[in-house]
Amino acid sequence: MKKIRILPRQQLALATAIYWFLLLYIVAALAFWYLRLQQQNEQMANYKLLELVADDPSYLKKVAEINTAAERKAYQYRGEGATFLLLIFVCAVFVFRAVRSQFRTAMQQQNFMMAITHELKTPIAVAKLNLETLQKHKLEESRQQKLIRMTLQETNRLNDLTNNILISSQLEAGGYKKVFEETDLSQLCLTQLQLMQNRYPDHQFMPDIEAGVKAQVDELLIQILISNLLDNAVKYAPKNEPIVLELKQATGEAVIKVSDQGTGIPKEEKTRIFQRFYRIGNEAVRKTKGTGLGLYLCKKIADDHHGTITVTDNQPLGTIFTINLPLQNV
Ligand code: ADP
């Protein structure tokens, strides 16, 4: 991954202050030179007028010529000044936007690195501890099963995480060969829901699935898409509220909806959440697990299927993710 130097907030504030100081200095210098040139222009015209001899028959004509020349120069200075000012503003806006987007990317990558370190270390540590306990102690059957279930959950999380990282980098680099095949989406949705129910027995998953909906899709990618959305519903909604997976066939497309009754997503965040590495809030104080790759990958998969993914509010609270997938993909 390309290494980007990360600017802490204070450095960014300093860079912004220097930027504004330089910009104001340049504009002030331009204004100063403009005034000086105008002054010089007027002085030159005055000198020329003083050199004229009053009883010269062409005196009036020469005065008019000098005044016209001075006026022309004044217009020229104004035109050049305005062009430079415009250029300075265009460049300033360009630099400002580039630096801001670089800073955002750097912050998101820093967040990602913090999240990924945590996300990789925790399941490994938990699985190691559970296996060591199983090896060292003779536990009763129910306790053994609990430890094995917890270890499996952690390894599943690791598996999902590595899948997300691998597939998104492969899709990004064009290294993943998509295979669009007629797939029974109804069956796929039911299987995903069952998998999630086994994985999270404390949560309540509800199917609302039309039978026999088939579409030409890459099965693995659609599995990843649905599993990421269900996983988010588990993460961001309380245990006792149902998570609904809906599948319906509409004209020429399949519509998949994942609804939860969780925290919901603020309006201003609704477009940002699909950006790579984007997570709402601050990584240092965040409690939920994640890397900010899930929804980015969902959007990429929907786009690659010539479909769409949108997010709306659930009623009375929570979130609905809707995916529209064309039934045919060539
Ligand atoms: P993460 O690994 O953080 O879950 P995602 O790309 O899957 O990354 O999601 C990006 C952000 O969108 C999350 O950090 C979370 O704040 C928000 N989000 C995603 N799904 C939901 C949801 N169902 N309810 C509330 N917030 C959500």
Side-chain angles (χ1 to χ4, degrees), residues 229 232-233 235-236 260 263-265 273 278-280 286 289-296 319 321:
L229 292 180
N232 276 352
K235 274 197 290 191
Y236 301 107
D260 65 54
T263 50
I265 298 175
I273 51 170
Y278 189 83
R279 304 192 72 206
I280 300 175
R286 198 192 320 277
K289 299 154 185 166
T291 54
L293 265 180
L295 288 180
Y296 163 77
T319 312
F321 283 95

Side-chain angles (χ1 to χ4, degrees), residues 38-58:
Q38 285 292 33
Q39 251 176 10
Q40 256 182 13
N41 186 26
E42 277 167 26
Q43 272 172 2
M44 289 295 286
N46 284 340
Y47 286 143
K48 282 185 189 161
L49 287 174
L50 284 176
E51 275 172 11
L52 291 181
V53 187
D55 48 5
D56 183 343
S58 57

Side-chain angles (χ1 to χ4, degrees), residues 111 114-115 118-119 122-123 154 157 231-232 234-237 263 279-291:
N111 276 353
M114 281 165 75
H118 181 257
E119 290 292 288
T122 314
E154 293 305 320
R157 261 185 60 204
D231 216 44
N232 276 352
V234 170
K235 274 197 290 191
Y236 301 107
T263 50
R279 304 192 72 206
I280 300 175
N282 179 354
E283 203 55 44
V285 296
R286 198 192 320 277
K287 292 200 182 68
T288 51
K289 299 154 185 166
T291 54

